[in-house]
Amino acid sequence: MHFKKHTIAMAVLSVSAFGYSANTIAQEEAADETEVIQVSGIRGSLLTALNEKRSADNLVEVIQADDIGKLPDQNLAEVLENVTGIQITRTAGVGTGVQIRGTNANRVEINGVSTVGSGGGRNGIDFEDVSAAIIAGVEVTKSPQAKTIEGSVGGTINLKTIRPLALDDTLASVRVQAENSSLSTESAKPRLSATFGKNWESDLGKFGFVIAGSYIEQEAVSFRPRTDRDSLDNDGNLAIQFLTQEQENDDYETVNIATTLEWAPNENSKFYFDAIINEQEQSRDQYRAQASGVSALKNKDASKPDEYEVVNFGTKGDHSWPDFKAALKGSIGPDASEGFDNPNLRISSETGSRVTDTEVFVFGGEFQAEQFKISAEIATSSSDSVKPKFESTVNFINPKAPLVSRINYERTNGDGEVETGRVEVPFIDGIDSLEDAIASVDGGTSGIIYNDNATPFAYDLSGGTLSFGIDPNSAYTPTKEQLLDPKNYVFEKLEKGGDLQKNSEDSFRIDAEYYIDDSVITSIDVGYRFNKSSSEYTRINGSFSYGDMTRAANGELFKELLVPGPDNFGSADDRELYIKDFLWIDPDRSFSDPQGTVDIIYNALDTHYGSQSSRVNETPQNSSYYLVEEDTNAFYAQANFEYENIRGNFGLRHVSTEVQSSGYVDGVLTPIKGDYSLVLPRINVIADLTDDMVVRFGVGKDIRRPDFDSLKYGYNLNDNENTAVALGNPGLAPEEVQSFDLSWEWYFAEGSVVSVGYFTKLRTDIFGTKTFGAPLHPDPTTDSGTARSNDPSCPGGGFYNPNVVPSLLGNPDVKGLCVDYTQDSNDDVSTMQSGWEFAVQYDLAGFEDKLGWASGFGVMANYTMQEFNGGSIEDCTFSRGADVLGDDVCAERGLEDFSEDAYNFTLYYEKYGLSARMRYTWRDAFTSTDFGGGSSTSSTLSFPVVTSARGQLNASVTYDITEQLNVGVEAVNLTEQGVEQYCVNDGALLCFVGLPDRRVTAGATYKF
């Protein structure tokens, strides 16, 4: 035969966990040369993965399922964390992001077909949208071949489903599980999956069919306290600006179906059709209980801290600072001599949801002749998402403290000059109405009654807890009954929308391989691929808010919507000090019946105001709209070679892309067009030094296209004064990546390996986001003592947002403010990533005679150390960061989500029907813009936060009761390990704490 695999591939054992072999042709050819050994469970999956890695003609990492639909973890991101060089990030404790060799810029495929995600990024399908139950294996390509589709920096992740013609027996399995969150107040959630597959002979040839499906409900809960200490008091100490108690409660309902039909009319040809359909409904019941207006009291004697801590910000760029004293323990509250306006208790609820339908359809075929092989494939991938948003805010009016009015005045001073200004007047000493307050001020002309008043708070930020709550020892402390009484709440804000994101990619490819006899060059691969990609975003969002009692309806008018908030914030770490009792607008009702909820709010506001109140504008916003379309033609040629113990491939890939980005300019949809062409050389060389020792070498070039939302024309505007406006850049060029890989692998025993690898990645035109701050200027009339300009020309810098309703940084009576903004750009300075990867896998099964039951143990461990250098994109101080750290303090940004060191260690046991696995994963500190409490860099002293080093322990145990019935339990984050995020540098000023849940899953699997 002319299409034999090389010697190493021929020696691969047939290892099968569930009657499925991934390399049918190689197995059939090797039938006369090797003994077929069937191994199942953890060992079977590890052997299969190891043999695939060993026989590959480039550097790949492989994970195989232990059993039908049973990868090592329930979440695909968690599965990938088993791979050397991969770290993950989590949202509310659920793995959502994957970094390969320190970068998020990767590709996700299903059976080698490109996928698209739910947002404006390039990586592909979201990991939380795909259940691991329908995936049979995962392959990570770190060193690409010429025929590898372009588009990744770290690597390409290929999710593999079961191929029915490779089944040895009929496949039928059902799994029933239930998952429980340690921080949830709800009951356990179901996880159901089933698989059926078989193949059969007929007069028309051999047919195969498989279908795998899953239905999963999941609840992930995380508590995130936040403390902003980014304001200086008169003594130069770091005072509290803001306190936030946040809960993220994400509910997932996911339906996944993967089905394949294969037909082999004869032994030389095959046709197939794949369909992968995913539907996910993700709803977030999130609340933020906020103490706002705190900074207004920073210089008041009654609210000065009882205890300080010393903070050293370390070094940033060329700058270092002396130690600061920062508020650590104390109380903040109203005082008869200092006013009753601040601090305020504000409750925001948000259903930041996503409903996504993802589909991948593939039709292809292949023909194998004596001298050549040819294949063709047509595929379409799509992802349509609706992102309903319903955010509401209510303010608590403390009945123990008086209301406060803000009175405008105009009067003549002693010099005969007319002066204007504002003063606060509490409702005390005979002042019972706004008219009384105006009359009490010399020259009083008009005013408002604030829709909030003072609530006392106590805080203890020591021990890494960032604990705070309502002060139990103040004369103005409200009772539990008062905190749960609707009449003590008023409506402040409503934001409602339903953003639409439509992404798609249609592709066609044809590949051919020609075999050459008696030559070092064993075959030549050539191929062509065309794909048309598009991403369309439509923003539908509107909001309004009220800052005074004239418009803010009392909670009695919408009390059917007000429900007690969760009271279990202390259950994660047994803290005593937190906000236990409050009302919020029911998030479940807001999600299930948003229009009905809005109607109740409108009726309440109309009744209170006496006429029609504001309405949310739910028309599409032209300023935010974008449509990015791309056509790409790619050609490749690759030569495969083998000479004695040396094998590999070398080739070129030529890529040509035309881009069109459309957005609205002066109300007219306007396109901008661009194009680029690149040649990507790639080489892989493998040396089989001995029967059990392999050395790999790879060099190659790849590109990373800009995210779709980075190429956009449009931008989003909301009403928050601290939210930066993100501007796109249609002129972004693709990033170019030159990679180098060198690795050594020693397969010293069956199912065992030791490997060492070194890699570099030289990146040019790397993407970066620059932040441009809107400066602050002194303003004694605001609560913070500073303000931003409301001049639409923003003379000092910033971006004018006409939708902003100022809170602390301007006059709340005047809508519109200059805010911070960001813009994506190409860095004109190259960057370099380099690192070492170490891995060991050892199985004791070969020592059964000596160890007996202990021969069931095995270990896996890996360690990655890497560094990042170069680049010119900097973060510089602005706003409150400049006030604290000084103007023009700049530092290189580095790479977000990049940890210099990471490792994981897995101990497993498999014997006598018992299968157990325990995995501990650790990663070093990394910078992040995943802020808690709705924050941004304006609240983190101008720099991304640093997430401290963290480890997590996962474990699972299963037992075979019979050959058909298996029961088991799995646990994620067994020790409920928390997250700490610091401002400026690791270990400096603690800004955020994350307290994710422990999730335990129990269930049974039955194989027919």
Side-chain angles (χ1 to χ4, degrees):
M1 290 287 187
H2 293 286
F3 50 92
K4 281 188 176 182
K5 298 292 183 180
H6 55 74
T7 307
I8 291 295
M10 298 294 294
V12 173
L13 300 176
S14 172
V15 181
S16 176
F18 42 89
Y20 167 66
S21 172
N23 193 343
T24 309
I25 293 177
Q27 181 178 314
E28 290 172 351
E29 290 184 40
D32 296 332
E33 305 175 32
T34 62
E35 178 185 2
V36 176
I37 302 172
Q38 296 291 337
V39 185
S40 61
I42 295 177
R43 277 197 179 83
S45 66
L46 295 179
L47 278 170
T48 302
L50 211 57
N51 287 323
E52 287 190 30
K53 172 184 173 69
R54 183 176 181 179
S55 63
D57 286 333
N58 57 330
L59 180 57
V60 298
E61 306 286 354
V62 180
I63 299 175
Q64 293 287 358
D66 300 351
D67 206 333
I68 306 169
K70 188 182 176 186
L71 284 164
D73 298 276
Q74 300 272 13
N75 172 274
L76 280 175
E78 299 271 2
V79 169
L80 286 160
E81 199 177 25
N82 290 274
V83 174
T84 310
I86 289 185
Q87 296 88 46
I88 72 171
T89 49
R90 296 174 170 85
T91 301
V94 174
T96 53
V98 170
Q99 297 83 52
I100 303 178
R101 292 176 165 178
T103 177
N104 290 295
N106 309 299
R107 277 175 45 83
V108 179
E109 302 174 344
I110 296 181
N111 297 325
V113 174
S114 294
T115 63
V116 293
S118 62
R122 290 279 189 175
N123 287 8
I125 196 166
D126 301 308
F127 289 108
E128 63 268 35
D129 288 2
V130 184
S131 168
I134 68 167
I135 302 301
V138 180
E139 181 182 82
V140 179
T141 299
K142 293 181 176 178
S143 178
Q145 303 179 64
K147 59 186 178 182
T148 305
I149 300 173
E150 74 283 349
S152 71
V153 176
T156 297
I157 300 165
N158 186 22
L159 309 176
K160 298 180 179 181
T161 60
I162 299 171
R163 312 311 294 174
L165 287 183
L167 292 173
D168 297 325
D169 300 298
T170 298
L171 188 67
S173 172
V174 175
R175 174 176 295 171
V176 178
Q177 297 175 301
E179 182 180 80
N180 183 65
S181 164
S182 62
L183 301 182
S184 173
T185 58
E186 300 180 17
S187 59
K189 301 293 185 179
R191 303 179 71 96
L192 311 174
S193 61
T195 303
F196 174 80
K198 70 175 298 182
N199 54 55
W200 63 95
E201 297 281 358
S202 75
D203 293 340
L204 298 176
K206 189 174 183 179
F207 289 86
F209 173 76
V210 68
I211 183 168
S214 67
Y215 173 82
I216 294 172
E217 293 182 19
Q218 183 178 40
E219 183 180 25
V221 183
S222 178
F223 299 151
R224 300 183 74 176
R226 160 192 166 191
T227 302
D228 292 2
R229 288 178 284 176
D230 56 353
S231 178
L232 295 177
D233 63 20
N234 290 340
D235 297 323
N237 300 322
L238 292 169
I240 295 176
Q241 175 83 16
F242 217 79
L243 297 168
T244 300
Q245 173 179 303
E246 179 182 45
Q247 174 183 297
E248 296 174 330
N249 187 344
D250 289 338
D251 290 312
Y252 299 86
E253 183 178 353
T254 308
V255 177
N256 293 144
I257 297 175
T259 184
T260 297
L261 175 65
E262 291 184 310
W263 172 42
N266 52 58
E267 62 180 11
N268 295 325
S269 59
K270 181 176 72 173
F271 298 92
Y272 58 90
F273 174 75
D274 292 342
I276 295 96
I277 300 173
N278 303 319
E279 297 180 358
Q280 185 180 85
E281 184 177 286
Q282 177 183 342
S283 62
R284 166 166 287 191
D285 297 347
Q286 174 179 307
Y287 79 80
R288 290 194 290 268
Q290 304 165 325
S292 65
V294 177
S295 62
L297 303 174
K298 64 185 178 183
N299 293 309
K300 306 294 187 181
D301 289 339
S303 295
K304 287 199 171 182
D306 298 328
E307 188 175 331
Y308 293 88
E309 67 175 333
V310 176
V311 173
N312 187 322
F313 284 114
T315 300
K316 204 73 172 175
D318 297 328
H319 298 266
S320 59
W321 299 269
D323 290 344
F324 284 84
K325 289 172 61 179
L328 185 67
K329 297 180 182 180
S331 58
I332 306 168
D335 183 88
S337 62
E338 297 179 347
F340 294 93
D341 179 34
N342 294 298
N344 324 122
L345 175 59
R346 179 178 301 161
I347 311 296
S348 297
S349 64
E350 179 182 340
T351 57
S353 307
R354 174 168 66 85
V355 180
T356 299
D357 293 334
T358 302
E359 297 176 341
V360 180
F361 297 110
V362 186
F363 176 73
E366 60 184 51
F367 177 75
Q368 178 79 66
E370 180 75 9
Q371 203 71 32
F372 67 90
K373 176 182 178 181
I374 187 168
S375 63
E377 182 179 85
I378 298 173
T380 179
S381 301
S382 65
S383 176
D384 294 344
S385 296
V386 179
K387 302 176 181 179
K389 180 177 184 179
F390 193 106
E391 182 176 350
S392 58
T393 301
V394 294
N395 289 342
F396 175 68
I397 305 300
N398 185 4
K400 292 286 190 71
L403 294 173
V404 179
S405 62
R406 186 180 69 235
I407 306 302
N408 303 311
Y409 63 83
E410 180 177 325
R411 59 196 177 204
T412 303
N413 61 22
D415 297 326
E417 298 172 337
V418 176
E419 59 179 17
T420 60
R422 300 193 298 268
V423 295
E424 292 179 353
V425 179
F427 280 28
I428 57 176
D429 299 331
I431 295 177
D432 299 315
S433 66
L434 181 61
E435 290 73 18
D436 292 342
I438 294 173
S440 71
V441 176
D442 182 18
T445 58
S446 61
I448 64 167
I449 304 173
Y450 283 132
N451 70 340
D452 53 33
N453 67 344
T455 300
F457 287 89
Y459 61 92
D460 181 354
L461 312 181
S462 63
T465 62
L466 298 186
S467 297
F468 66 91
I470 294 175
D471 186 356
N473 300 315
S474 170
Y476 302 97
T477 300
T479 65
K480 177 177 181 177
E481 290 72 24
Q482 290 169 334
L483 286 163
L484 297 177
D485 189 341
K487 73 172 179 288
N488 293 325
Y489 288 82
V490 295
F491 185 86
E492 182 187 306
K493 176 185 175 181
L494 174 65
E495 181 175 355
K496 184 175 180 290
D499 296 355
L500 307 175
Q501 184 88 47
K502 294 185 176 183
N503 299 326
S504 67
E505 178 171 311
D506 299 325
S507 64
F508 166 77
R509 66 182 298 170
I510 183 168
D511 303 272
E513 184 174 11
Y514 181 76
Y515 308 106
I516 303 173
D517 293 329
D518 304 321
S519 172
V520 173
I521 303 297
T522 58
S523 64
I524 300 292
D525 290 326
V526 294
Y528 165 74
R529 183 177 186 268
F530 170 79
N531 69 277
K532 177 183 283 292
S533 304
S534 70
S535 180
E536 183 180 24
Y537 173 76
T538 303
R539 181 172 174 82
I540 302 173
N541 191 82
S543 65
F544 61 83
S545 60
Y546 298 132
D548 67 276
M549 285 289 195
T550 305
R551 306 290 295 271
N554 186 273
E556 280 289 319
L557 296 174
F558 55 97
K559 63 182 179 181
E560 65 264 49
L561 299 179
L562 292 173
V563 297
D567 60 359
N568 64 331
F569 199 83
S571 62
D573 59 358
D574 298 322
R575 65 179 60 204
E576 293 292 333
L577 190 58
Y578 63 96
I579 301 172
K580 301 177 178 66
D581 303 302
F582 60 91
L583 296 179
W584 63 336
I585 291 181
D586 187 350
D588 292 331
R589 187 166 181 173
S590 300
F591 179 77
S592 61
D593 183 19
Q595 190 56 51
T597 304
V598 166
D599 289 342
I600 293 173
I601 293 173
Y602 286 164
N603 289 335
L605 295 173
D606 293 348
T607 300
H608 172 80
Y609 190 52
S611 61
Q612 188 177 80
S613 59
S614 299
R615 296 292 189 265
V616 170
N617 181 4
E618 295 187 65
T619 58
Q621 298 179 2
N622 285 349
S623 64
S624 305
Y625 176 85
Y626 68 79
L627 172 62
V628 179
E629 300 169 288
E630 289 183 346
D631 289 349
T632 297
N633 292 276
F635 300 86
Y636 75 86
Q638 175 177 306
N640 306 295
F641 62 87
E642 183 172 3
Y643 178 73
E644 294 184 351
N645 65 331
I646 306 295
R647 55 190 166 92
N649 53 76
F650 60 90
L652 298 173
R653 187 175 188 89
H654 180 272
V655 178
S656 177
T657 300
E658 296 180 351
V659 186
Q660 177 173 292
S661 177
S662 301
Y664 283 93
V665 178
D666 297 327
V668 179
L669 188 62
T670 305
I672 288 182
K673 296 183 178 181
D675 61 79
Y676 51 86
S677 296
L678 292 161
V679 176
L680 310 176
R682 296 168 180 180
I683 303 172
N684 291 279
V685 180
I686 298 92
D688 299 307
L689 300 183
T690 66
D691 289 342
D692 54 16
M693 198 172 294
V694 180
V695 171
R696 299 180 191 273
F697 166 78
V699 292
K701 187 175 182 180
D702 212 325
I703 64 169
R704 176 67 175 183
R705 295 182 175 90
D707 286 345
F708 291 114
D709 56 6
S710 295
L711 293 170
K712 66 186 178 184
Y713 246 144
Y715 49 84
N716 296 335
L717 300 175
N718 65 23
D719 62 359
N720 190 319
E721 64 189 2
N722 287 317
T723 300
V725 176
L727 303 181
N729 184 354
L732 281 176
E735 176 186 338
E736 298 183 36
V737 187
Q738 298 179 44
S739 300
F740 169 89
D741 282 278
L742 182 64
S743 65
W744 169 82
E745 301 159 10
W746 178 28
Y747 299 87
F748 60 92
E750 182 178 335
S752 303
V753 68
V754 171
S755 67
V756 178
Y758 175 74
F759 68 88
T760 65
K761 292 186 178 294
L762 177 64
R763 305 171 65 173
T764 56
D765 285 329
I766 190 172
F767 309 126
T769 303
K770 295 182 179 180
T771 299
F772 302 87
L776 295 171
H777 60 267
D779 187 337
T781 67
T782 67
D783 288 341
S784 64
T786 57
R788 287 178 174 153
S789 173
N790 60 6
D791 183 342
S793 67
C794 294
F799 186 95
Y800 184 73
N801 181 350
N803 295 344
V804 167
V805 178
S807 175
L808 299 176
L809 301 178
N811 181 357
D813 297 331
V814 181
K815 196 173 182 179
L817 207 64
C818 294
V819 299
D820 308 328
Y821 72 95
T822 64
Q823 186 164 36
D824 295 320
S825 63
N826 291 111
D827 194 342
D828 55 7
V829 177
S830 297
T831 68
M832 173 65 80
Q833 290 170 239
S834 60
W836 291 87
E837 297 175 340
F838 306 90
V840 61
Q841 180 175 313
Y842 188 42
D843 190 285
L844 298 178
F847 298 92
E848 183 170 11
D849 292 342
K850 295 181 179 179
L851 298 178
W853 65 270
S855 63
F857 282 106
V859 295
M860 294 183 294
N862 62 63
Y863 186 93
T864 302
M865 52 190 296
Q866 54 191 358
E867 60 182 12
F868 176 88
N869 296 296
S872 65
I873 293 178
E874 296 181 321
D875 292 303
C876 297
T877 52
F878 64 93
S879 188
R880 294 194 293 270
D883 291 342
V884 174
L885 302 177
D887 292 321
D888 300 321
V889 176
C890 298
E892 291 182 0
R893 176 170 301 166
L895 195 60
E896 187 177 330
D897 297 330
F898 182 87
S899 292
E900 291 188 346
D901 296 276
Y903 68 83
N904 68 63
F905 176 84
T906 300
L907 175 68
Y908 65 87
Y909 183 85
E910 189 171 57
K911 206 168 183 64
Y912 310 123
L914 178 66
S915 179
R917 188 190 328 241
M918 181 173 63
R919 176 168 62 90
Y920 181 78
T921 303
W922 179 92
R923 67 178 298 182
D924 204 355
F926 58 92
T927 59
S928 174
T929 53
D930 177 22
F931 306 115
S935 184
S936 67
T937 52
S938 65
S939 300
T940 60
L941 297 170
S942 309
F943 298 100
V945 294
V946 181
T947 302
S948 282
R950 177 182 182 273
Q952 179 166 308
L953 181 64
N954 297 350
S956 65
V957 179
T958 66
Y959 182 70
D960 294 328
I961 295 178
T962 68
E963 290 186 0
Q964 287 78 38
L965 180 62
N966 174 278
V967 296
V969 62
E970 305 171 43
V972 176
N973 196 18
L974 198 58
T975 60
E976 294 184 285
Q977 184 64 43
V979 179
E980 292 183 349
Q981 293 182 311
Y982 289 87
C983 287
V984 184
N985 278 311
D986 190 25
L989 181 68
L990 185 62
C991 297
F992 308 94
V993 171
L995 304 169
D997 57 358
R998 176 200 303 117
R999 295 191 305 281
V1000 178
T1001 304
T1005 302
Y1006 189 83
K1007 292 185 287 186
F1008 296 90

